[in-house]
Structure formats: structure tokens, C-alpha cells
């Protein structure tokens, strides 16, 4: 007889779903914070042991790995997490679908490695692609195990596994770089991380797949996933058209500079959004029928994600030169304008991100796909036009696109489902206002100060931003936002009272 699994209403330690959400977000963000620290440590160390050319070679293959990963997942992890109920037999069938797709994609990348190397004129790409083909299989095997962990709200285990995987992979990369492996150190890092994540997910899921069952239907999961994967492919392809264009037009070394600047901004941004999404989707799925409660959670989610990230990105943009000098070294200073433009792009991308939660929770993958086509076209157009001015022009196009697309995002969403559109627009505008005022004040203060060491410059920039935000909290509307954020913090720290 089929057994059904449902996400528990709480985590056993708190009495409210709000506390569960807040604690889950804190756990995942703490884990991701540790991963970001490891990533920055890796950037600092590996940038001094490896060359831009090494990173450029890996970036060429990673672009194709990323788009393949979308097909490998096929939206089935999100479909499993958001499902009101999920039987063990359905999970089994989804496991075999993900694993089978992983095998097919891994084989395809192995076979296409030589043509890929020929297109980019980089012979090393062939062996890199062939080695990294195994990542598809490892991630395919891990997908439904991780979905079980998310459905069970086992965020602590997920965070531990992700941090451990990142730490071990970084250790392998540093060891390999010291031994003179060059770009192979980066390849080993990617494979090690995928392997550790698989092992950790299997150990923690407390579920084992059986044999696939033809009499158990997963059509609704596949149908949802098919539309979701189409939108993800559009987003990924248009998000990476800049990388492909830079690599093809300008070569591996400029691509290495471009990629490192991108990694400094966009990867940490994604690593914050990803764990928050892992918490938000199962929580919002449980309350989607209560529109008032759903709206409150959504608006607070936007503020909780928007303010810290936007202010962090403003700080990075203002202190771009000392950040690059400290993190990567002097040979990477050409990446400074790229870093500033990517930080600007990150602010707008983050403002529209809560809309993705709504599309997934309410099963609107078809609408998400059509929306992705529009925003993807804007992104490609901006990047292609920007390419007329070189690598910096490409980055400028990438930065402009999300600012053109953001006003469309909530309007589009409001036409297909009920969302607190006015509150979300207002919240986003307040976030932009605080970020803009912080940037202007900090620029004025820093311009009046003499040149100083990189670390001190970064610390003073951050202090100026914090001081400006503190003064803005004297304004009632911003003080209310601060109170909402404080309430989230209270939910995180509050314990159930007997």
C-alpha cells in the first residue's frame, strides 16, 4: 500500500509556522554564510595559485553543465517539494527519472566534448568536459533525496551537508593547485562537491528508492516540471549568453576576469536566495489558501531578503577596487568595473525574486515560462548591444536588463494570480531608496578621505552604509520596516514556552 509523506507543521521546537520558517531560514542562511566564507577563502587562495586562463577554461564547461543540470532536474525537485502529498512509490519513480536523465546528459556531454573544444579553440576543454560529465549522474541520484529532506523541513542536515561538501571540495582544489594541477584543481573541486552532497543526502533522507512502478502515475509532477524547466532553460540561457559571448569573442583570459567578478557577486547572491527558497516554498505551500497570511509572509520575505542583500551589494559596488585587491590580488584589478556592474544587476534581480516563489507554490509554471521569454529577450538584447563596447559593455548590458525587467515582474504576476502587488512595489521602492541614499552618502564621505589599505577602506565603506541606514530608521516608514525585520529576528530566536 502506498505510504504518504507530508511536511510536518512545525519543527518540533516551535509552536508556529512563522517560527518554523524563520528558524529554517536562519539555519539555511547560516550554512550558506559558511559556504560563502569558504568560497571567498577559495577565491583569495586559488586566485593566487591559478591563472585567469584556468578559470576561463572551467567557465566554458560550467556554462554547459549548468544548462544540462536544469534538464537533469526537470523541475521534479520543486514538484516534489510543493506537492500536498507524496507517496514513497511516486518518489521512487521520480528518482529513476532524474537518474536516467543524468546518465543521458552525462553521456551527451562526454560525446560532445571534442566539438565543444573545437568551437572555442581550447583543446583543454575536451578533457575537462569529459571528466565533469559524471556530475550529471551524481546530481541526478541526489535530487529526490534532497527533496525528501526539504519536505521534512530538515534544513539543519541540508546546511551541514552543503557546508561539508564545500569545505572538502575547497581542500581538494587548494591541494591540487599547490601540486601544480592547474585547471584540474578546479575540476576536482566540482566533482568532489557533487559526490559529498550525494552521500550526505542519502545518509540523511531516511528513504530508499525501490524499483520503478508503471502503475504509479507521476504525470502531474512531470507536467509541472516540464513548464518549469522551460522557464529555467530560458533564464539560464539568457543569463549565460554573456559568458558564452565573452568566451567566444574575447578568449579564455578575459572570460576568466569576467567570471571571477561574476562569482564574487552573483554566486553569493544565488547562495543566499537558494536556501531561503528551500524554506519559503514548503512553508508558503502550506498557507497558500489563506490569502491574507500568504500576503503577509510574502511581503515580509521581500523585505527580509531585499534590505540586507541590497545594502550588501551597495557596499561591494562602492568598495569594488579594495575588494578585488584584497580578494583576488593586483593582477585582477581589471575586474573592478565588472564587479560594480554585477552588483548593480544583483539589486534588481533580488527585488523580483519573491515572484518566483509564487509561480512555483501555485503551480503557475506555464505563466512563468511565458514571463521568462519576455525578460530573457530583454536580457539578450541588452547584452548584444553592450557587446559593441567590449567586455565592460557586456557587463553593462547585463546590469541594465534586470532594471528594465523588474517593473514588469510583479505586474505580470498580478495578472495570473492574487498577490499584494501594491505592497510589493512599495516595499521594493523603499529598498531602492535606502540603498540609493546609502550609496550617495557613502560616496561623499569616502571621497573626502585619503587613500587607505584595502581592508580598512572596505570596513569604512560598510560603516558609512550602516550609519546612513541607522539615520534613515528615524523616518517612520523605514522604522516600520526595521520593526518587521526585527520581528523576523525575534521569531528566529524565540523558543516555545511550556
Amino acid at each position: 500500500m502506498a505510504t504518504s509523506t507530508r511536511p510536518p507543521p512545525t519543527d518540533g521546537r516551535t509552536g508556529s509556522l512563522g517560527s518554523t520558517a524563520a528558524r529554517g531560514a536562519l539555519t539555511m542562511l547560516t550554512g550558506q554564510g559558511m559556504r560563502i566564507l569558504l568560497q571567498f577563502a577559495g577565491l583569495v587562495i586559488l586566485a593566487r595559485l591559478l591563472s585567469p586562463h584556468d578559470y576561463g577554461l572551467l567557465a566554458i564547461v560550467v556554462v554547459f553543465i549548468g544548462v544540462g543540470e536544469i534538464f537533469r532536474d526537470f523541475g521534479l525537485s520543486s514538484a516534489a517539494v510543493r506537492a500536498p502529498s507524496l507517496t514513497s512509490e511516486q518518489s521512487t519513480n521520480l528518482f529513476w527519472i532524474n537518474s536516467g536523465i543524468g546518465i543521458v546528459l552525462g553521456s551527451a556531454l562526454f560525446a560532445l566534448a571534442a566539438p565543444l573544444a573545437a568551437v572555442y579553440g581550447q583543446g583543454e576543454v575536451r578533457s575537462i568536459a569529459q571528466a565533469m560529465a559524471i556530475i550529471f549522474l551524481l546530481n541526478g541520484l541526489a535530487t529526490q533525496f534532497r527533496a525528501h529532506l526539504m519536505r521534512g523541513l530538515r534544513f539543519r542536515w541540508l546546511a551541514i551537508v552543503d557546508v561539508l561538501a564545500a569545505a572538502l571540495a575547497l581542500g581538494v582544489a587548494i591541494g591540487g593547485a599547490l601540486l601544480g594541477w592547474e585547471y584540474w584543481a578546479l575540476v576536482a573541486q566540482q566533482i568532489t562537491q557533487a559526490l559529498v552532497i550525494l552521500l550526505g543526502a542519502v545518509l540523511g533522507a531516511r528513504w530508499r528508492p525501490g524499483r520503478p512502478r508503471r502503475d504509479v502515475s507521476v504525470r502531474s509532477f512531470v507536467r509541472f516540471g516540464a513548464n518549469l524547466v522551460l522557464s529555467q532553460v530560458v533564464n539560464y540561457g539568457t543569463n549565460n549568453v554573456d559568458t558564452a559571448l565573452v568566451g567566444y569573442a574575447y578568449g579564455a583570459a578575459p572570460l576568466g576576469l569576467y567570471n571571477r567578478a561574476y562569482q564574487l557577486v552573483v554566486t553569493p547572491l544565488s547562495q543566499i536566495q537558494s536556501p531561503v527558497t528551500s524554506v519559503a516554498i514548503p512553508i508558503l505551500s502550506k498557507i497558500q489558501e489563506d490569502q491574507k497570511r500568504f500576503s503577509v509572509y510574502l511581503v515580509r520575505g521581500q523585505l527580509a531578503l531585499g534590505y540586507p542583500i541590497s545594502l550588501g551589494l551597495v557596499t561591494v559596488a562602492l568598495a569594488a577596487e579594495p575588494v578585488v585587491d584584497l580578494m583576488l590580488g593586483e593582477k585582477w584589478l581589471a575586474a573592478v568595473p565588472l564587479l560594480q556592474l554585477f552588483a548593480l544587476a544583483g539589486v534588481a534581480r533580488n527585488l523580483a525574486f519573491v515572484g518566483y516563489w509564487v509561480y512555483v507554490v501555485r503551480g503557475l509554471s506555464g505563466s512563468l515560462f511565458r514571463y521568462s521569454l519576455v525578460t530573457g529577450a530583454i536580457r539578450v538584447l541588452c547584452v548584444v548591444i553592450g557587446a559593441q563596447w567590449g567586455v565592460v559593455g557586456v557587463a553593462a548590458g547585463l546590469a541594465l536588463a534586470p532594471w528594465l525587467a523588474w517593473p514588469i515582474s510583479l505586474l505580470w504576476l498580478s495578472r495570473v494570480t492574487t498577490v499584494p502587488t501594491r505592497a510589493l512595489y512599495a516595499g521594493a521602492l523603499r529598498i531602492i531608496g535606502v540603498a540609493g541614499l546609502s550609496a550617495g552618502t557613502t560616496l561623499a564621505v569616502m571621497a573626502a578621505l585619503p587613500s587607505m589599505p584595502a581592508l580598512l577602506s572596505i570596513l569604512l565603506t560598510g560603516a558609512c552604509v550602516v550609519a546612513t541606514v541607522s539615520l534613515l530608521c528615524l523616518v517612520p516608514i523605514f522604522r516600520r520596516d526595521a520593526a518587521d525585520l526585527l520581528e523576523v529576528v525575534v521569531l528566529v530566536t524565540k523558543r516555545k514556552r511550556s
Side-chain angles (χ1 to χ4, degrees):
M1 183 178 178
T3 57
S4 178
T5 61
R6 293 176 181 268
T10 69
D11 58 4
R13 295 170 296 167
T14 60
S16 72
L17 193 60
S19 292
T20 303
R23 288 183 183 277
L26 177 66
T27 300
M28 295 296 285
L29 284 172
T30 300
Q32 287 300 92
M34 295 176 69
R35 287 187 66 192
I36 291 171
L37 289 176
L38 287 169
Q39 181 188 46
F40 283 160
L43 282 171
V44 171
I45 298 170
L46 292 174
R48 287 160 172 80
L49 297 174
L50 302 173
S51 69
H53 184 263
D54 293 327
Y55 279 103
L57 291 172
L58 186 78
I60 290 171
V61 179
V62 167
V63 168
F64 293 92
I65 290 282
V67 71
E69 276 295 293
I70 296 172
F71 283 103
R72 191 272 312 152
D73 178 87
F74 206 75
L76 299 181
S77 59
S78 296
V81 170
R82 68 167 293 275
S85 64
L86 180 70
T87 68
S88 179
E89 291 79 6
Q90 287 173 325
S91 290
T92 290
N93 283 359
L94 295 176
F95 167 83
W96 288 110
I97 291 173
N98 284 134
S99 300
I101 296 174
I103 292 172
V104 171
L105 289 172
S107 301
L109 180 61
F110 191 94
L112 293 173
L116 184 62
V119 168
Y120 281 91
Q122 303 287 339
E124 303 96 327
V125 168
R126 176 177 181 176
S127 54
I128 293 173
Q130 290 175 338
M132 292 181 67
I134 194 173
I135 291 175
F136 286 123
L137 174 59
L138 298 175
N139 289 345
L141 294 170
T143 301
Q144 292 305 316
F145 288 105
R146 288 181 66 85
H148 264 259
L149 290 169
M150 284 188 282
R151 282 184 63 82
L153 307 184
R154 297 191 60 206
F155 304 121
R156 179 176 296 177
W157 185 271
L158 282 166
I160 290 172
V161 170
D162 288 344
V163 171
L164 181 61
L168 292 175
L170 177 58
V172 169
I174 293 173
L178 290 171
L179 292 172
W181 291 3
E182 298 180 328
Y183 55 83
W184 283 112
L186 300 174
V187 174
Q189 181 182 25
Q190 298 286 322
I191 295 174
T192 300
Q193 184 160 321
L195 178 60
V196 175
I197 286 175
L198 168 61
L199 294 176
V202 171
L203 290 173
R206 300 172 186 169
W207 166 79
R208 297 294 178 269
R211 298 175 63 181
R213 294 272 300 271
R214 290 188 177 183
D215 59 330
V216 175
S217 175
V218 290
R219 287 183 181 178
S220 61
F221 297 89
V222 173
R223 186 164 51 248
F224 172 86
N227 282 320
L228 185 60
V229 77
L230 287 174
S231 64
Q232 289 173 335
V233 167
V234 171
N235 279 331
Y236 187 85
T238 54
N239 276 333
N240 286 275
V241 68
D242 57 321
T243 300
L245 183 59
V246 170
Y248 180 78
Y250 305 108
L255 178 58
L257 285 169
Y258 190 91
N259 179 257
R260 286 303 85 194
Y262 191 88
Q263 293 294 320
L264 275 173
V265 174
V266 180
T267 297
L269 174 61
S270 299
Q271 288 178 342
I272 293 171
Q273 291 172 338
S274 177
V276 173
T277 298
S278 297
V279 176
I281 288 178
I283 295 294
L284 290 173
S285 295
K286 295 175 64 61
I287 60 171
Q288 60 177 305
E289 299 303 324
D290 185 344
Q291 183 58 45
K292 183 176 180 181
R293 197 178 181 198
F294 184 89
S295 296
V296 169
Y297 273 57
L298 199 63
V299 172
R300 286 192 176 177
Q302 181 197 51
L303 296 178
L305 200 62
Y307 274 117
I309 289 179
S310 296
L311 293 171
L313 290 171
V314 163
T315 303
V316 169
L318 294 171
E321 185 170 342
V323 165
V324 171
D325 187 22
L326 183 67
M327 300 297 296
L328 304 179
E330 290 185 4
K331 66 182 180 181
W332 296 84
L333 287 177
V336 168
L338 305 177
L339 184 66
Q340 293 171 324
L341 289 165
F342 292 146
L344 182 64
V347 173
R349 286 180 55 177
N350 189 56
L351 292 175
F353 191 73
V354 293
Y356 175 77
W357 300 346
V358 180
Y359 283 114
V360 173
V361 167
R362 292 190 166 160
L364 301 170
S365 54
S367 296
L368 178 59
F369 170 59
R370 290 185 288 274
Y371 165 72
S372 298
L373 288 175
V374 174
T375 56
I378 293 172
R379 194 177 301 119
V380 170
L381 181 62
C382 289
V383 167
V384 170
I385 293 174
Q388 309 304 313
W389 291 273
V391 176
V392 174
V394 172
L398 191 73
L400 176 62
W403 287 101
L404 296 176
W406 167 69
I408 301 173
S409 61
L410 293 178
L411 180 62
W412 188 289
L413 184 62
S414 68
R415 293 181 178 275
V416 294
T417 189
T418 302
V419 289
T421 310
R422 181 176 297 180
L424 290 173
Y425 272 127
L429 289 173
R430 293 198 300 275
I431 292 168
I432 293 170
V434 171
L437 288 170
S438 299
T441 303
T442 303
L443 275 174
V445 172
M446 296 303 293
L449 296 176
S451 179
M452 61 191 73
L455 181 58
L456 181 58
S457 179
I458 295 169
L459 292 175
L460 282 176
T461 301
C464 287
V465 170
V466 171
T468 304
V469 172
S470 299
L471 288 174
L472 287 172
C473 285
L474 297 175
V475 180
I477 192 168
F478 297 126
R479 189 163 60 245
R480 285 196 294 272
D481 284 348
D484 282 342
L485 293 176
L486 181 61
E487 187 170 341
V488 172
V489 174
V490 170
L491 282 172
V492 169
T493 56
K494 180 181 176 182
R495 293 188 176 276
K496 184 179 179 181
R497 296 174 181 174
S498 56

